[in-house]
Amino acid sequence: MIIRKLKDPLTNIAIQAVGNPGTDTGQNYFTAQTWMADSRNIMVCTDIDESFKGRYVLFDIETGAVETMIENLSWGCGVVSSNDYFYYYVGSAIYEFNLHTMLSRNICRMEVGTEVYGPLSITNDGKKIGTYWKHGEEWVVGIVEVLTGEVSVVAAPGFKEPYPIANHSMINPRYDQLVFFAHEGRTDHIADRIYVADTTTREIRNIFRQQRLDTGEHVEYVGHEMWAADGEYLYFVKYPQSPLKPTGVYRVEKTGKDHELINGDYRYWHVAPSPDGRFAVADTFEEGMKISKIVLINLEKRTSKLLCELPLWRDHPGHPHPMFSPDSKKVSFTFADEDQHLWIGIIDIDQLTEEN
């Protein structure tokens, strides 16, 4: 793997590109941290094949040193914890891999006939994993205790056909009794997407009530949710295709008591808040889906700054999925090069000035 130095022609912002020429390299899903705690080493999947499997490597963005961690593992199946463990699933099992010692262990294995799905999520203290799985025809949201491997069912909502899937579950990083999950399906058909389950009260609540017209028409299309690091808000995108405006980056309070528009300057797609709570980073839908913009949003001022514009793939794992490093100083994302191979782009936001 190598480092390429790029500069966006629109913004003049420097981009550090990490990848393997002639092959495809992707970072974790945007809700699942891909960086180690030092904000220097990044866990990425490279040599991704047609089945979305590849080689997970640890890459030092300062020296270019690379070390293979795990072979033949699906892209998007893991998350890096704040204490530098990589948690991932294979089939019905969840594993722990120590990124310092390279020792691994099986945390849990679900009952026969179960398949675990991702992305995984983990609390700030590294003690609980949020996940979801399918057993038979039932979709189940749950929590796994990292130390003991104990599995707890949080919700089995039993959504009806044609959209029976409950997915994208994410445990609140601070208030670990709260678990978000989504009612999955076409966003122009799903009028009750955003749910939070409370393991203390056993209550399951649709915390963002999508609006309908008097005719019953569903007019708010939402998705791509992520908890803030302090656990107070769930961020999401109201997609530009929504009939009811304004659209853009929104957030809803953790229990649903209020929500607000943060920024609607672009045709936003995915959004990730920074660990320090100062910023969010988002990518965009653009006509033809050949390029996507990476946009930095100031959460205090509610303003936006274009960072770059780069090619993408229409499908996973080639969505940009921007995220922050743990120190909130770097933004990373996936993009396609001139040969349509995937790389990781990294922007150090300390370079930004009022002139950029």
Side-chain angles (χ1 to χ4, degrees), residues 42-60:
I42 188 168
M43 183 75 161
V44 300
C45 186
T46 193
D47 302 334
I48 300 172
D49 63 21
E50 292 180 354
S51 66
F52 293 171
K53 288 190 174 182
R55 176 170 56 101
Y56 274 80
V57 302
L58 202 58
F59 189 89
D60 186 326

Side-chain angles (χ1 to χ4, degrees), residues 44-342:
V44 300
C45 186
T46 193
D47 302 334
I48 300 172
D49 63 21
E50 292 180 354
S51 66
F52 293 171
K53 288 190 174 182
R55 176 170 56 101
Y56 274 80
V57 302
L58 202 58
F59 189 89
D60 186 326
I61 66 167
E62 293 187 11
T63 67
V66 59
E67 188 171 12
T68 297
M69 298 284 111
I70 305 170
E71 300 266 11
N72 195 34
L73 194 61
S74 295
W75 167 85
C77 70
V79 60
V80 177
S81 70
S82 60
N83 51 352
D84 292 341
Y85 287 87
F86 181 63
Y87 294 95
Y88 65 96
Y89 62 88
V90 177
S92 63
I94 296 177
Y95 298 89
E96 175 188 86
F97 186 94
N98 187 316
L99 294 174
H100 293 286
T101 67
M102 298 181 69
L103 297 175
S104 64
R105 69 181 178 100
N106 172 233
I107 293 179
C108 68
R109 187 176 297 276
M110 308 289 186
E111 60 184 306
V112 175
T114 299
E115 180 147 10
V116 177
Y117 288 82
L120 300 178
S121 58
I122 193 161
T123 52
N124 290 338
D125 60 13
K127 293 181 178 180
K128 293 183 180 181
I129 292 171
T131 186
Y132 69 100
W133 59 89
K134 187 181 184 185
H135 181 70
E137 296 303 312
E138 185 176 43
W139 292 88
V140 183
V141 176
I143 293 173
V144 179
E145 297 280 348
V146 169
L147 185 61
T148 66
E150 179 184 356
V151 178
S152 302
V153 173
V154 171
F159 295 131
K160 304 302 182 185
E161 292 286 356
Y163 301 114
I165 299 174
N167 69 1
H168 280 276
S169 67
M170 187 176 187
I171 191 167
N172 187 298
R174 180 181 175 192
Y175 303 99
D176 61 15
Q177 78 277 14
L178 301 178
V179 181
F180 155 75
F181 65 92
H183 183 186
E184 182 63 36
R186 280 185 49 168
T187 57
D188 57 338
H189 290 184
I190 300 294
D192 63 334
R193 177 173 167 99
I194 300 176
Y195 285 86
V196 169
D198 188 324
T199 61
T200 302
T201 65
R202 293 294 174 186
E203 181 182 14
I204 298 174
R205 181 182 300 174
N206 179 201
I207 64 167
F208 179 71
R209 297 285 184 174
Q210 293 156 256
Q211 295 187 58
R212 295 177 182 268
L213 300 181
D214 292 341
T215 60
E217 180 188 357
H218 160 49
V219 289
E220 290 189 295
Y221 309 161
V222 302
H224 289 138
E225 304 84 355
M226 181 177 175
W227 286 115
D230 65 4
E232 297 296 340
Y233 288 91
L234 185 76
Y235 283 75
F236 64 95
V237 175
K238 182 175 164 183
Y239 299 125
Q241 299 88 344
S242 297
L244 186 64
K245 310 302 180 184
T247 62
V249 171
Y250 280 72
R251 68 181 184 185
V252 59
E253 191 272 335
K254 63 182 182 295
T255 63
K257 68 182 181 182
D258 58 60
H259 66 269
E260 59 184 331
L261 172 67
I262 300 298
N263 184 273
D265 293 346
Y266 291 85
R267 294 170 53 84
Y268 293 121
W269 189 11
H270 306 85
V271 61
S274 63
D276 65 7
R278 297 174 58 215
F279 299 102
V281 64
D283 55 16
T284 67
F285 289 101
E286 300 297 331
E287 187 175 353
M289 293 299 290
K290 293 183 178 180
I291 60 100
S292 183
K293 294 177 169 65
I294 306 298
V295 181
L296 185 71
I297 299 169
N298 185 309
L299 295 180
E300 180 182 0
K301 297 179 181 178
R302 309 296 172 92
T303 55
S304 66
K305 182 186 289 288
L306 177 65
L307 298 180
C308 62
E309 180 179 290
L310 288 165
L312 75 160
W313 286 3
R314 292 180 68 95
D315 301 308
H316 288 158
H319 294 173
H321 293 153
M323 69 172 71
F324 282 92
S325 57
D327 64 4
S328 300
K329 293 184 177 182
K330 301 176 188 70
V331 167
S332 60
F333 50 90
T334 301
F335 73 96
D337 68 11
E338 57 275 11
D339 298 316
Q340 281 296 295
H341 286 298
L342 298 180

